[in-house]
Amino acid sequence: MIDAIRRPARYAALRESIREGARTFRIAAWLGWQIESNWADPFVFFSFTILRPLATALMLLVMYEVVARGQSGGYFSYLYISNAFFVLVIQTMAGLAWTIFDDREAYKMLKYIFTSPARRFPYLLGRATAKTLVALLTATILLAVGVLFLGLHLNLAQIEWGWAVVYFLLGLVILASLGVVLAGIALLVARHGEAIGEVTAGMLLLFSGAYFPPDILPPVLKQVTLAMPITYWLEGMRRALNGGIIVGTASNGRGGTITGPISPLLAQFDNWRLLLIILLSAALSAVCSFFFYRWIEHQAKERGMIDRLTGY
């Protein structure tokens, strides 16, 4: 009888918590968009937003053309698709870490957010949503430019849309979890910590197989790359968009050529094994980042870092 009375009250509290979390997320996403766009004209904002990754893609193209001497093989697709989706890695991870510095150092609002009824996790994720959406738009534009003008071979009829959606969503969970970890570290970092997101993402550029297949890396770096969940996420996105494993042609060292997967190591995993790895990585990273952030937030409160201004 008592349980029957308590159960609706418990569910009502859960519904109220979910409703408050959704409201915090929505308001934080709107605030993040306003800060990112700086109340600028949307066309001007998007123009400047896509110029940097587009310039990076053009630099990669020039470097590839010089090295490959004009041949547009499978490695170009491998490189270009990885580069397009790596924009999401940078923006999502750096966006979450930057939220802490922005609110604490620039707007001096972090202490008020911590003392308000706003849910911290929905707030952090909401603030990073604007950067993630802009990064998604940038990746889409990069792929379109690659197909239309740069010789990237993508066939809409061959794209495995189901795998692409599943891989993409799980990848967002991984990236957001890593971003939450960086946001937690940002709570304790003093001076010049604003670049922590981009520095970490830059390191992942080497250790995620984005530009270099893990097969060609030294043994230690190869093992580090295979331990990174982003390696499998990028491989899943490349495979889904290409409609299968990307293959290329290379010299066999005896005057002939051989054709095979760009990364034989990653080609050993079929889609289901790849999905299992990414799914487990997403679940593990989400749980670990949650508890890590709660622990480091407690440390930041104990040390008085929530409202401490550390910039010059």
Side-chain angles (χ1 to χ4, degrees):
M1 181 67 179
I2 295 176
D3 288 343
I5 294 173
R6 287 177 176 173
R7 195 172 302 145
R10 190 162 59 241
Y11 289 154
L14 179 61
R15 284 197 299 272
E16 180 60 28
S17 178
I18 294 174
R19 188 180 300 116
E20 182 60 32
R23 191 173 75 89
T24 302
F25 179 85
R26 187 180 69 253
I27 295 174
W30 176 84
L31 177 64
W33 164 252
Q34 297 297 330
I35 292 175
E36 286 303 313
S37 62
N38 198 21
W39 285 268
D41 180 84
F43 175 76
V44 175
F45 171 68
F46 279 117
S47 298
F48 280 99
T49 300
I50 66 172
L51 281 180
R52 180 181 173 186
L54 191 59
T56 305
L58 292 175
M59 288 172 60
L60 279 177
L61 174 67
V62 172
M63 292 165 62
Y64 178 84
E65 290 290 332
V66 171
V67 174
R69 298 178 180 178
Q71 297 180 4
S72 182
Y75 185 67
F76 176 69
S77 299
Y78 180 100
L79 187 66
Y80 196 91
I81 296 173
S82 299
N83 179 68
F85 281 100
F86 204 80
V87 176
L88 279 158
V89 178
I90 298 173
Q91 293 296 325
T92 303
M93 291 177 58
L96 278 159
W98 182 254
T99 296
I100 297 297
F101 292 108
D102 220 16
D103 285 354
R104 185 177 63 189
E105 311 285 343
Y107 300 107
K108 303 177 179 60
M109 292 295 295
L110 194 61
K111 56 187 176 184
Y112 299 114
I113 293 168
F114 271 73
T115 54
S116 74
R119 305 294 195 267
R120 255 96 73 187
F121 271 100
Y123 177 79
L124 280 175
L125 296 176
R127 281 292 308 274
T129 297
K131 281 183 176 290
T132 303
L133 291 178
V134 171
L136 177 59
L137 176 67
T138 304
T140 305
I141 293 174
L142 284 177
L143 291 173
V145 170
V147 171
L148 294 175
F149 304 109
L150 305 180
L152 177 66
H153 299 295
L154 286 184
N155 188 338
L156 292 179
Q158 292 181 352
I159 294 177
E160 297 171 338
W161 293 102
W163 285 113
V165 172
V166 172
Y167 286 143
F168 180 78
L169 294 178
L170 290 175
L172 281 187
V173 175
I174 295 172
L175 297 179
S177 301
L178 295 176
V180 167
V181 170
L182 293 180
I185 295 173
L187 283 172
L188 296 181
V189 172
R191 304 184 190 281
H192 305 303
E194 293 88 347
I196 184 173
E198 293 194 0
V199 169
T200 306
M203 293 173 62
L204 287 175
L205 194 61
L206 175 62
F207 298 130
S208 65
Y211 287 179
F212 310 105
D215 312 67
I216 65 173
L217 296 175
V220 175
L221 296 185
K222 182 189 301 181
Q223 296 306 317
V224 173
T225 302
L226 292 176
M228 294 291 172
I230 296 176
T231 301
Y232 303 96
W233 176 62
L234 288 176
E235 171 64 14
M237 295 308 301
R238 287 190 297 263
R239 197 177 293 186
L241 263 62
N242 187 62
I245 297 171
I246 298 179
V247 297
T249 302
S251 172
N252 60 6
R254 297 189 297 271
T257 58
I258 54 173
T259 301
I262 298 296
S263 173
L265 265 178
L266 296 177
Q268 296 175 359
F269 301 95
D270 60 19
N271 273 329
W272 290 107
R273 289 182 64 191
L274 209 57
L275 175 62
L276 181 62
I277 293 172
I278 297 173
L279 183 62
L280 291 177
S281 300
L284 187 63
S285 56
V287 172
C288 291
S289 65
F290 176 78
F291 287 107
F292 176 79
Y293 183 82
R294 291 191 63 175
W295 172 77
I296 207 165
E297 183 185 281
H298 176 73
Q299 298 297 317
K301 288 178 180 176
E302 290 292 316
R303 299 181 189 183
M305 297 293 290
I306 301 299
D307 60 346
R308 182 176 296 176
L309 302 181
T310 60
Y312 291 105

